[in-house]
Amino acid sequence: MKNENLIKVRRGHNIESVHHVHIAVVNAEGKLLHQLGEVDKKIYARSSMKPLQAIPIVATGAADHYDFSDADLSLCTASHNGEDMHTNRVLSILKRAGLDGTDLKCGTHKPRWEEAYKNLILNHEEVTPLYNNCSGKHAGMLATAKFMNEPIETYYKLDHPVQQRILQTISDVCDYPKNDIEMGVDGCGVPVHGIPLKSLAYGFARLAKPETLGKEMGEYAKRVTKAMAAAPEMVGGTDRFCTDFMRVGEGRFFGKAGAEGVYCIGDMETGLGVSVKVADGNGRAVYPAAMEALVQLGLLTDHQKEELKEYHHPKLKNARDEIIGELIPSFQLNQMTLA
């Protein structure tokens, strides 16, 4: 087992599939404490970068000007379900900034929460960009652009000041050269940022111990992560790992999922950052990997492990809702020798 970096998929008595995972655990001083697989390779953090992308909303003064609550700021870091509590709050943020849903450039997909989608169909209502899981992030970007008197129509483009501030923030927090960040386009149309897995973990470690960022940046970062922990229902929603993990963590942890099998965690008690990447991008393996890492690091209580057990060892079910297999973490984090 010690040479494996796998999440195994068992059906009956047979291992039907495997997912390779890569994990970095870094402290707030930048020391790589544990690793699994490749941690120097650049990955796109996808939506796991949203806590960093939200920092300029605070730093510019936009959050204070538009009276952002913890729930508002938490929603700006979200990949939400599209439940009423999410879409209503997106509209509220936009309204306070003198904007509306037509200003969102995140594109359209059906709500992640099935009940929300059913209600739209039953009420003959249109699926709009409000239901995009990234609409909270976009609302925060729009509010910042409006507050800074910058163009609204192009806020999502890389050369826009909104995106340039975000790029600089990521470079500063992760202590990674801005010119070396690999740029792409995310699913919602805004820039996506590629940095090494260990640099991503370092960024989350510094968010978890914000005094390492300096007084001003530390206060901005602390406001974002505290908001996530205070209003975790905004980050995901019903039956979502981000929400359940932070709720069970009772203010100690913040965590954020990203597409293509990415998950990042900050532990505000130890100052550790944990980043996970599933090599094949399959999201079903990322929560078992994150949970197993937390368990091996000794960061969860027995009660927390029990509350989150369905994410640690998810069951496979057939169409009759019968359990016919499970996902099994099969790895051991490698402890690094510190100089």
Side-chain angles (χ1 to χ4, degrees), residues 209-221:
K209 197 172 183 181
E211 59 268 28
T212 61
L213 295 169
K215 185 176 180 180
E216 285 192 351
M217 179 67 82
E219 287 300 314
Y220 304 148

PDB file of all heavy atoms in Angstrom, residues 209-221:
ATOM      1  N   LYS A 209      -3.252  30.984   8.132  1.00  0.00           N
ATOM      2  CA  LYS A 209      -2.459  31.720   9.121  1.00  0.00           C
ATOM      3  C   LYS A 209      -2.170  33.095   8.533  1.00  0.00           C
ATOM      4  O   LYS A 209      -1.058  33.408   8.113  1.00  0.00           O
ATOM      5  CB  LYS A 209      -1.168  30.962   9.416  1.00  0.00           C
ATOM      6  CG  LYS A 209      -0.455  31.391  10.680  1.00  0.00           C
ATOM      7  CD  LYS A 209       0.720  30.459  10.992  1.00  0.00           C
ATOM      8  CE  LYS A 209       1.386  30.866  12.298  1.00  0.00           C
ATOM      9  NZ  LYS A 209       2.551  29.968  12.597  1.00  0.00           N
ATOM     10  N   PRO A 210      -3.187  33.956   8.459  1.00  0.00           N
ATOM     11  CA  PRO A 210      -3.118  35.173   7.651  1.00  0.00           C
ATOM     12  C   PRO A 210      -2.067  36.183   8.080  1.00  0.00           C
ATOM     13  O   PRO A 210      -1.683  37.043   7.283  1.00  0.00           O
ATOM     14  CB  PRO A 210      -4.532  35.751   7.762  1.00  0.00           C
ATOM     15  CG  PRO A 210      -5.096  35.169   9.008  1.00  0.00           C
ATOM     16  CD  PRO A 210      -4.496  33.801   9.115  1.00  0.00           C
ATOM     17  N   GLU A 211      -1.557  36.092   9.308  1.00  0.00           N
ATOM     18  CA  GLU A 211      -0.514  37.026   9.719  1.00  0.00           C
ATOM     19  C   GLU A 211       0.747  36.874   8.878  1.00  0.00           C
ATOM     20  O   GLU A 211       1.571  37.794   8.809  1.00  0.00           O
ATOM     21  CB  GLU A 211      -0.191  36.846  11.202  1.00  0.00           C
ATOM     22  CG  GLU A 211       0.274  35.465  11.606  1.00  0.00           C
ATOM     23  CD  GLU A 211      -0.858  34.567  12.059  1.00  0.00           C
ATOM     24  OE1 GLU A 211      -2.006  34.777  11.593  1.00  0.00           O
ATOM     25  OE2 GLU A 211      -0.596  33.670  12.883  1.00  0.00           O
ATOM     26  N   THR A 212       0.915  35.731   8.214  1.00  0.00           N
ATOM     27  CA  THR A 212       2.073  35.525   7.334  1.00  0.00           C
ATOM     28  C   THR A 212       1.970  36.352   6.053  1.00  0.00           C
ATOM     29  O   THR A 212       2.946  36.468   5.310  1.00  0.00           O
ATOM     30  CB  THR A 212       2.228  34.039   6.960  1.00  0.00           C
ATOM     31  OG1 THR A 212       1.059  33.601   6.245  1.00  0.00           O
ATOM     32  CG2 THR A 212       2.414  33.186   8.195  1.00  0.00           C
ATOM     33  N   LEU A 213       0.806  36.932   5.795  1.00  0.00           N
ATOM     34  CA  LEU A 213       0.595  37.720   4.582  1.00  0.00           C
ATOM     35  C   LEU A 213       0.827  39.210   4.798  1.00  0.00           C
ATOM     36  O   LEU A 213       0.716  39.993   3.857  1.00  0.00           O
ATOM     37  CB  LEU A 213      -0.837  37.502   4.065  1.00  0.00           C
ATOM     38  CG  LEU A 213      -1.180  36.096   3.587  1.00  0.00           C
ATOM     39  CD1 LEU A 213      -2.677  35.957   3.355  1.00  0.00           C
ATOM     40  CD2 LEU A 213      -0.411  35.760   2.312  1.00  0.00           C
ATOM     41  N   GLY A 214       1.170  39.594   6.010  1.00  0.00           N
ATOM     42  CA  GLY A 214       1.277  41.014   6.325  1.00  0.00           C
ATOM     43  C   GLY A 214      -0.042  41.524   6.882  1.00  0.00           C
ATOM     44  O   GLY A 214      -1.091  40.889   6.735  1.00  0.00           O
ATOM     45  N   LYS A 215      -0.004  42.685   7.502  1.00  0.00           N
ATOM     46  CA  LYS A 215      -1.173  43.179   8.229  1.00  0.00           C
ATOM     47  C   LYS A 215      -2.394  43.388   7.333  1.00  0.00           C
ATOM     48  O   LYS A 215      -3.472  42.853   7.604  1.00  0.00           O
ATOM     49  CB  LYS A 215      -0.824  44.480   8.951  1.00  0.00           C
ATOM     50  CG  LYS A 215      -1.966  44.994   9.824  1.00  0.00           C
ATOM     51  CD  LYS A 215      -1.563  46.236  10.606  1.00  0.00           C
ATOM     52  CE  LYS A 215      -2.719  46.732  11.470  1.00  0.00           C
ATOM     53  NZ  LYS A 215      -2.361  47.945  12.235  1.00  0.00           N
ATOM     54  N   GLU A 216      -2.235  44.168   6.254  1.00  0.00           N
ATOM     55  CA  GLU A 216      -3.390  44.500   5.427  1.00  0.00           C
ATOM     56  C   GLU A 216      -3.917  43.285   4.678  1.00  0.00           C
ATOM     57  O   GLU A 216      -5.103  42.959   4.761  1.00  0.00           O
ATOM     58  CB  GLU A 216      -3.033  45.616   4.434  1.00  0.00           C
ATOM     59  CG  GLU A 216      -2.935  46.989   5.074  1.00  0.00           C
ATOM     60  CD  GLU A 216      -2.881  48.095   4.040  1.00  0.00           C
ATOM     61  OE1 GLU A 216      -2.747  47.779   2.834  1.00  0.00           O
ATOM     62  OE2 GLU A 216      -2.962  49.268   4.428  1.00  0.00           O
ATOM     63  N   MET A 217      -3.038  42.608   3.912  1.00  0.00           N
ATOM     64  CA  MET A 217      -3.474  41.438   3.152  1.00  0.00           C
ATOM     65  C   MET A 217      -4.003  40.366   4.095  1.00  0.00           C
ATOM     66  O   MET A 217      -4.976  39.661   3.768  1.00  0.00           O
ATOM     67  CB  MET A 217      -2.321  40.889   2.310  1.00  0.00           C
ATOM     68  CG  MET A 217      -2.688  39.646   1.503  1.00  0.00           C
ATOM     69  SD  MET A 217      -3.889  39.954   0.176  1.00  0.00           S
ATOM     70  CE  MET A 217      -2.777  40.580  -1.105  1.00  0.00           C
ATOM     71  N   GLY A 218      -3.380  40.222   5.248  1.00  0.00           N
ATOM     72  CA  GLY A 218      -3.839  39.235   6.217  1.00  0.00           C
ATOM     73  C   GLY A 218      -5.256  39.496   6.683  1.00  0.00           C
ATOM     74  O   GLY A 218      -6.057  38.575   6.828  1.00  0.00           O
ATOM     75  N   GLU A 219      -5.587  40.756   6.922  1.00  0.00           N
ATOM     76  CA  GLU A 219      -6.942  41.108   7.340  1.00  0.00           C
ATOM     77  C   GLU A 219      -7.954  40.844   6.230  1.00  0.00           C
ATOM     78  O   GLU A 219      -9.063  40.373   6.495  1.00  0.00           O
ATOM     79  CB  GLU A 219      -6.998  42.570   7.773  1.00  0.00           C
ATOM     80  CG  GLU A 219      -6.341  42.834   9.117  1.00  0.00           C
ATOM     81  CD  GLU A 219      -6.978  42.044  10.247  1.00  0.00           C
ATOM     82  OE1 GLU A 219      -8.225  42.010  10.326  1.00  0.00           O
ATOM     83  OE2 GLU A 219      -6.224  41.442  11.042  1.00  0.00           O
ATOM     84  N   TYR A 220      -7.584  41.150   4.989  1.00  0.00           N
ATOM     85  CA  TYR A 220      -8.483  40.887   3.859  1.00  0.00           C
ATOM     86  C   TYR A 220      -8.735  39.385   3.728  1.00  0.00           C
ATOM     87  O   TYR A 220      -9.880  38.940   3.561  1.00  0.00           O
ATOM     88  CB  TYR A 220      -7.882  41.409   2.552  1.00  0.00           C
ATOM     89  CG  TYR A 220      -7.522  42.877   2.551  1.00  0.00           C
ATOM     90  CD1 TYR A 220      -6.444  43.349   1.797  1.00  0.00           C
ATOM     91  CD2 TYR A 220      -8.260  43.802   3.280  1.00  0.00           C
ATOM     92  CE1 TYR A 220      -6.104  44.684   1.780  1.00  0.00           C
ATOM     93  CE2 TYR A 220      -7.930  45.148   3.269  1.00  0.00           C
ATOM     94  CZ  TYR A 220      -6.843  45.585   2.522  1.00  0.00           C
ATOM     95  OH  TYR A 220      -6.503  46.917   2.510  1.00  0.00           O
ATOM     96  N   ALA A 221      -7.665  38.607   3.794  1.00  0.00           N
ATOM     97  CA  ALA A 221      -7.786  37.159   3.643  1.00  0.00           C
ATOM     98  C   ALA A 221      -8.604  36.555   4.780  1.00  0.00           C
ATOM     99  O   ALA A 221      -9.454  35.677   4.556  1.00  0.00           O
ATOM    100  CB  ALA A 221      -6.397  36.522   3.593  1.00  0.00           C
TER     101      ALA A 221
END
